[in-house]
Amino acid sequence: MGFSAAASASSCNSNNDVLLPSMIVFDLDDCLWTPEMHELSGMPSIPVEGPLDPSDNNSELGTVGMKVPSRRRRGNNNKGFDWGGYANDDGEEVVELYPGARLVLRELATNPKYAAVKIAVASSSLEPSYSRACINGIEIVDGVTMEDMISYSQIGREGQLTSRKTSHFKLLQAQSGIPYDEMLFFDDCNWGDHVGDLQDA
């Protein structure tokens, strides 16, 4: 999982002599999960069950992914399905968190050290309704979905949102009241999001 810091830690919360950001902001596509929403052929609406702890196959089971309903392919395909640009080894379109991303979110959800840290998402997804379906369905720990963890979200590139993440962060800042220099941003993309433009805001 790549990242870019939208702010310094100089003004962040202190907890047990460790500086923590007031808010952690995550990108979604190809940062927390794969595949990207525009690669899917339809709405990921079917829960996929699996171990919630990627480091322990015997951990509690929960919704670890969201699957797109299958559709018959119009042409020839050994698997018999018409998918978008992405399919797993079984020919299914399943949106799943990267193992490292899941571990990070589990740590944020369960470690009291991070109780005061707000979680937000900033995504320029071309299919925001697909993104929200995944957020609403995917569990991090038993009974706790991504939606339960997220305090603020700005997803898409319509209305006040554009392909530039500066538009997302301006709304996140207005919603939360948290200064930019108390935010930490994780994104797989280190070009074109223009978050650095906010440093003088």
Side-chain angles (χ1 to χ4, degrees):
M1 181 170 63
F3 75 95
S4 58
S8 70
S10 60
S11 302
C12 299
N13 295 322
S14 178
N15 189 327
N16 295 329
D17 298 323
V18 176
L19 290 176
L20 297 174
S22 297
M23 183 160 73
I24 300 175
V25 185
F26 292 99
D27 176 42
L28 296 173
D29 286 3
D30 218 24
C31 181
L32 287 185
W33 61 42
T34 187
E36 299 189 39
M37 298 296 101
H38 71 270
E39 297 178 301
L40 301 175
S41 65
M43 175 73 72
S45 57
I46 301 175
V48 176
E49 188 177 75
L52 291 174
D53 184 348
S55 64
D56 180 6
N57 287 332
N58 296 315
S59 69
E60 69 270 25
L61 298 179
T63 300
V64 297
M66 295 297 291
K67 182 170 68 174
V68 177
S70 63
R71 299 186 301 174
R72 287 198 175 277
R73 185 171 175 81
R74 294 179 291 276
N76 295 322
N77 186 309
N78 292 334
K79 293 167 181 170
F81 299 110
D82 180 15
W83 298 130
Y86 172 89
N88 66 12
D89 291 339
D90 296 321
E92 298 178 323
E93 291 178 293
V94 179
V95 179
E96 295 179 298
L97 294 173
Y98 286 109
R102 174 169 286 281
L103 287 172
V104 167
L105 292 176
R106 285 176 64 84
E107 180 73 6
L108 291 172
T110 59
N111 192 328
K113 178 171 68 174
Y114 303 110
V117 178
K118 300 293 184 183
I119 305 299
V121 296
S123 168
S124 55
S125 171
L126 292 169
E127 298 288 353
S129 62
Y130 295 5
S131 301
R132 294 188 183 96
C134 294
I135 287 172
N136 290 335
I138 294 175
E139 288 182 288
I140 302 305
V141 295
D142 187 27
V144 178
T145 65
M146 293 180 68
E147 173 68 20
D148 296 327
M149 293 183 62
I150 295 169
S151 298
Y152 308 99
S153 65
Q154 293 297 333
I155 303 172
R157 50 179 72 187
E158 295 180 349
Q160 296 183 65
L161 299 177
T162 70
S163 60
R164 294 170 61 97
K165 290 284 177 71
T166 49
S167 63
H168 299 68
F169 270 84
K170 287 176 181 177
L171 291 176
L172 289 175
Q173 198 283 321
Q175 284 181 315
S176 67
I178 295 173
Y180 294 124
D181 65 358
E182 295 183 23
M183 300 180 189
L184 181 64
F185 180 37
F186 288 86
D187 197 334
D188 64 293
C189 179
N190 61 4
W191 56 270
D193 286 333
H194 309 105
V195 175
D197 295 349
L198 295 168
Q199 64 184 347
D200 298 321

